[in-house]
Amino acid sequence: MPAPTAALKPVVDDTPAINATLPEPDHDGDFALEGMNDLPEPTALQAPATAQDEDMEVVDEEDRPHFPQVQNDDGSFRIQSRKVPVPPHRFSPLKTAWPQIYPPLVEHLKLAVRMNIKYKAVELRNSKTSSPGALQKGEDFIRAFCLGFDVADAIALLRLDDLYLETFEIKDVKTLQGDHLARAIGRIAGNQGKTKFAIENASKTRIVLADSKVHILGAYKNIAIARSSVVNLILGKPPGKVYNNLRTVSARMKERF
């Protein structure tokens, strides 16, 4: 028995070699490969996704994503219309300010507008050239004017996207009747409207007092500041303390900018 460390003898295969012919390659599969060179490169297929990712990464000053405007690619168009009722006490001001009302709707939003005298309403209709949200903006603009806001203040709803309308009643904050309700309205307005103007200037909003209803136009955070001041006045807080709070809030807002 040889030692484990001894070199092993090479194994010799004594079987005779058989001349086997290799099978010819099958060319049937070449037909499935036709047109492979015509396919675009992988980078070209991923280009649209990369461009979309770049659009998704665009943010504004408040770190909010900016999405591209939705476009109607299928070519379908549907006519939509809105009818905004006008209160009786605002129909005469609507007639007077009509030359200043319809140009922004027609030229800026590309809407078809008409004033229906029979039904006391303003009718809006979209067109192929108008943007998807133009009809809603036009309705908000007419509704803001019907609530009592000036035309110059209501036009801001058409030009800015972060403006909103908020309406609440004094009775929603505190149940007041008779003279108590009248005094609460007087505290909100102030002498010759000074308190209301102070709240508007400090919070950068617009306020309309219509009987026991309060309408506020502005950005979301600014509406919260104005609403807090109005609620404090309704609850009976002295106007001097409200002024001090407004000074503090306005100073903080200036520091942010």
Side-chain angles (χ1 to χ4, degrees), residues 229-250:
S229 302
V230 172
V231 167
N232 290 334
L233 292 172
I234 293 173
L235 295 177
K237 196 170 185 179
K241 293 185 178 180
V242 176
Y243 288 156
N244 293 333
N245 293 336
L246 289 175
R247 291 192 190 96
T248 304
V249 170
S250 62

Side-chain angles (χ1 to χ4, degrees), residues 169-185 187 211-212 234:
E169 294 190 17
I170 296 177
K171 295 180 181 180
D172 296 338
V173 180
K174 186 177 182 180
T175 304
L176 300 175
Q177 296 178 355
D179 294 338
H180 298 285
L181 179 61
R183 283 193 290 269
I185 297 174
R187 286 195 298 271
D211 197 8
S212 62
I234 293 173

Side-chain angles (χ1 to χ4, degrees), residues 34-207:
E34 290 183 359
M36 290 296 293
N37 297 330
D38 299 335
L39 293 177
E41 297 295 333
T43 56
L45 295 174
Q46 298 177 359
T50 306
Q52 185 177 2
D53 295 341
E54 292 178 357
D55 294 339
M56 296 285 290
E57 295 179 356
V58 178
V59 296
D60 55 3
E61 293 80 1
E62 299 182 1
D63 294 337
R64 295 180 300 183
H66 175 70
F67 298 96
Q69 186 177 3
V70 179
Q71 296 182 356
N72 192 5
D73 296 334
D74 55 357
S76 61
F77 172 72
R78 186 177 62 178
I79 297 177
Q80 297 179 349
S81 61
R82 301 283 179 90
K83 182 183 290 186
V84 183
V86 181
H89 68 282
R90 293 296 295 173
F91 202 75
S92 294
L94 179 67
K95 290 182 179 180
T96 305
W98 186 250
Q100 290 83 30
I101 291 177
Y102 77 85
L105 297 173
V106 176
E107 298 175 1
H108 182 65
L109 297 181
K110 310 297 182 183
L111 297 176
V113 188
R114 75 172 181 177
M115 179 172 49
N116 196 329
I117 300 176
K118 181 179 179 180
Y119 295 100
K120 306 293 184 182
V122 177
E123 297 178 356
L124 307 172
R125 188 178 64 185
N126 63 344
S127 61
K128 293 184 179 180
T129 57
S130 59
S131 59
L135 200 60
Q136 183 62 42
K137 286 185 177 182
E139 182 182 357
D140 294 341
F141 169 64
I142 299 297
R143 197 177 300 278
F145 180 81
C146 294
L147 291 177
F149 292 97
D150 296 336
V151 178
D153 298 334
I155 287 179
L157 289 169
L158 305 180
R159 304 184 182 279
L160 301 176
D161 295 334
D162 57 346
L163 293 184
Y164 305 95
L165 280 170
E166 183 169 347
T167 302
F168 64 93
E169 294 190 17
I170 296 177
K171 295 180 181 180
D172 296 338
V173 180
K174 186 177 182 180
T175 304
L176 300 175
Q177 296 178 355
D179 294 338
H180 298 285
L181 179 61
R183 283 193 290 269
I185 297 174
R187 286 195 298 271
I188 297 172
N191 186 15
Q192 298 180 355
K194 292 182 179 179
T195 305
K196 183 175 77 73
F197 293 149
I199 297 174
E200 289 178 348
N201 296 331
S203 60
K204 297 181 181 179
T205 57
R206 289 293 180 267
I207 301 175

